[in-house]
């Protein structure tokens, strides 16, 4: 059987190039699904196996037409990546496995939904929000968790808001679900604020909770890096508690430090000012690819690196912080889905100013 030596140049979506390879000349290229585009750069024949133009391979006589056709680009399946609104991705769950009790209660008692209507309502609003921007936390229903209420200091936070007239800002608040939970649990709505980069998520929050004319909390559309946002700057020095759920891990180390320094400006310069939250962490802390932000990387922490970061923030801002962390295994429903690695953990934290 005749063979053809085919030199391949394989360009991946990340810009890297796979080295040349030799494959049988039948165009059935065994390229894996890494979003590669395969271009056949050159074709040569093994003359000792081709007898006077006679060939047994599936291509036929290696004339100019056959070789030209063989050298045409071959498209491999394109790997989906975060930012695609395609729903055929690992981080878009078609169905809700379980609606947490607190969210079910909130949608029934705060929003006035009938129990049997809750599931369909969540699906409808989730899909609307997916069209705003398809973050994995939207696709995987993470917003149902009411993450702030799951943190150990929640009772302390609620008490401070109710009795001390303190104020809380939810950073990257998404639908404002944690804002609603605080108000439902007795926090004064006027003392609870939310900021979100995408105003469409704030709108979908009103749609989810059916409370456009009811909720008195203030939401601000803001980029944390925008030093000229007057609404956000008006909060400087006034926010006693900051909730940063799934927030810091959006950036690399350098930008996380910048964000933390900005948060220090939002809080009173007194002991007890608090930053708390939870985010993706890793048993192997470090930079990993992240295609949403400008730098293209994000830093995932373990408890040691997170404390080290806050030490650096303290040095830059002339402040001191006590960092309390916990490290937990992420819900198994999010493992092995192509989004989290086996090293992924949930890092919860409470950072108190001394």
């Amino acid at each position: 059987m005749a063979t053809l030596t085919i030199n391949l140049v394989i360009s991946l979506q990340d810009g890297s190039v796979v080295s040349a390879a030799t494959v049988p000349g039948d165009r059935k290229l065994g390229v894996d699904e890494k979003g590669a585009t395969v271009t056949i750069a050159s074709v040569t024949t093994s003359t000792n196996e081709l007898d006077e133009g006679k060939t047994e391979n599936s291509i036929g006589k290696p004339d100019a037409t056959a070789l030209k056709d063989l050298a045409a680009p071959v498209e491999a399946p394109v790997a989906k990546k975060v930012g695609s609104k395609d729903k055929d991705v690992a981080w878009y769950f078609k169905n809700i496995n379980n609606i947490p009790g607190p969210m079910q209660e909130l949608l029934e008692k705060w929003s006035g939904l009938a129990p049997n209507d809750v599931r369909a309502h969540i699906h409808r609003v989730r899909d609307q929000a997916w069209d705003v921007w398809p973050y994995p936390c939207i696709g995987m229903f993470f917003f149902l968790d009411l993450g702030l209420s799951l943190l150990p200091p929640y009772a302390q936070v609620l008490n401070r808001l109710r009795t001390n007239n303190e104020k809380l800002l939810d950073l990257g608040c998404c639908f404002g679900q944690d804002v609603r939970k605080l108000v439902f649990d007795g926090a004064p709505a006027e003392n609870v604020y939310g900021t979100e980069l995408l105003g469409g998520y704030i709108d979908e929050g009103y749609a989810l909770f059916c409370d456009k004319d009811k909720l008195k909390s203030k939401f601000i559309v803001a980029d944390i890096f925008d030093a000229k946002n007057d609404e956000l700057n008006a909060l400087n020095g006034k926010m006693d508690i900051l909730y940063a759920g799934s927030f810091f891990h959006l950036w690399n180390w350098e930008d996380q430090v910048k964000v933390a320094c900005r948060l220090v400006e939002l809080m009173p310069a007194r002991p007890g000012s608090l930053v708390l939250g939870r985010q993706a962490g890793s048993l192997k802390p470090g930079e990993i690819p992240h295609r949403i932000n400008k730098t293209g990387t994000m830093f995932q922490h373990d408890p040691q690196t997170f404390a080290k970061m806050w030490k650096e923030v303290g040095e830059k801002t002339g402040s001191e912080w006590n960092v309390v962390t916990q490290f937990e295994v992420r819900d198994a429903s999010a493992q092995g889905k192509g989004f989290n690695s086996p090293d992924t953990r949930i890092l919860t934290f409470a950072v108190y100013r001394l």
Side-chain angles (χ1 to χ4, degrees), residues 147-226:
L148 174 56
S149 66
L150 302 178
L151 299 180
Y154 182 68
Q156 172 201 143
V157 167
L158 193 58
N159 185 62
R160 288 174 61 170
L161 295 175
R162 285 191 301 197
T163 63
N164 296 350
N165 199 35
E166 295 191 14
K167 292 179 171 59
L168 178 144
L169 175 62
D170 182 353
L171 297 148
C173 64
C174 192
F175 301 148
Q177 63 272 14
D178 293 291
V179 169
R180 270 83 174 189
K181 175 62 173 171
L182 281 167
V183 176
F184 179 72
D185 286 344
E190 297 81 1
N191 288 2
V192 184
Y193 298 72
T195 64
E196 173 54 52
L197 179 64
L198 300 174
Y201 282 172
I202 295 174
D203 295 338
E204 295 304 335
Y206 287 121
L208 180 61
F209 292 101
C210 312
D211 60 1
K212 179 69 172 177
D213 299 322
K214 175 182 179 180
L215 182 66
K216 304 303 180 186
S217 298
K218 182 177 178 62
F219 293 101
I220 299 170
V221 178
D223 182 339
I224 195 65
F225 293 104
D226 183 4

Side-chain angles (χ1 to χ4, degrees), residues 87 92-96 99 107 111-132 138-139 141 143-144 175 200-201 203-210:
K87 294 178 180 178
Y92 178 90
F93 293 175
K94 291 180 172 58
N95 297 297
I96 308 170
I99 301 173
L107 288 170
S111 305
L113 294 175
N116 291 338
D117 293 339
V118 169
R119 185 175 294 269
H121 180 71
I122 291 172
H123 272 283
R124 182 167 56 254
V125 175
R126 188 281 299 266
D127 284 348
Q128 291 170 183
W130 184 259
D131 287 336
V132 173
I138 301 296
F141 296 105
F143 58 89
L144 297 179
F175 301 148
Y201 282 172
D203 295 338
E204 295 304 335
Y206 287 121
L208 180 61
F209 292 101
C210 312

Side-chain angles (χ1 to χ4, degrees), residues 285-326:
E287 304 275 345
I288 65 171
H290 186 57
R291 296 187 181 275
I292 296 175
N293 65 36
K294 294 179 181 179
T295 65
T297 62
M298 62 191 291
F299 192 96
Q300 287 191 334
H301 290 278
D302 66 6
Q304 291 72 35
T305 62
F306 194 71
K308 181 181 178 181
M309 185 186 78
W310 275 95
K311 187 176 188 303
E312 182 176 338
V313 171
E315 292 169 351
K316 288 180 178 292
T317 59
S319 58
E320 249 188 300
W321 302 86
N322 178 36
V323 180
V324 180
T325 57
Q326 292 183 357

Side-chain angles (χ1 to χ4, degrees), residues 38-114:
V38 182
T39 302
I40 301 177
S42 62
V43 180
T44 59
T45 60
S46 177
T47 55
N48 63 341
E49 295 183 13
L50 291 176
D51 180 18
E52 298 296 329
K54 298 178 181 179
T55 176
E56 298 177 1
N57 70 27
S58 60
I59 299 175
K61 186 177 179 179
D63 58 17
T65 301
L67 295 181
K68 180 179 178 181
D69 179 66
L70 183 61
V74 179
E75 295 291 331
V78 177
K80 308 297 193 306
K81 60 182 180 180
V82 174
S84 167
K85 292 183 179 180
D86 193 328
K87 294 178 180 178
D88 185 23
V89 291
W91 49 92
Y92 178 90
F93 293 175
K94 291 180 172 58
N95 297 297
I96 308 170
N97 290 331
N98 178 55
I99 301 173
M103 178 58 90
Q104 180 80 27
E105 180 186 33
L106 191 61
L107 288 170
E108 290 181 24
K109 296 183 178 179
W110 171 264
S111 305
L113 294 175

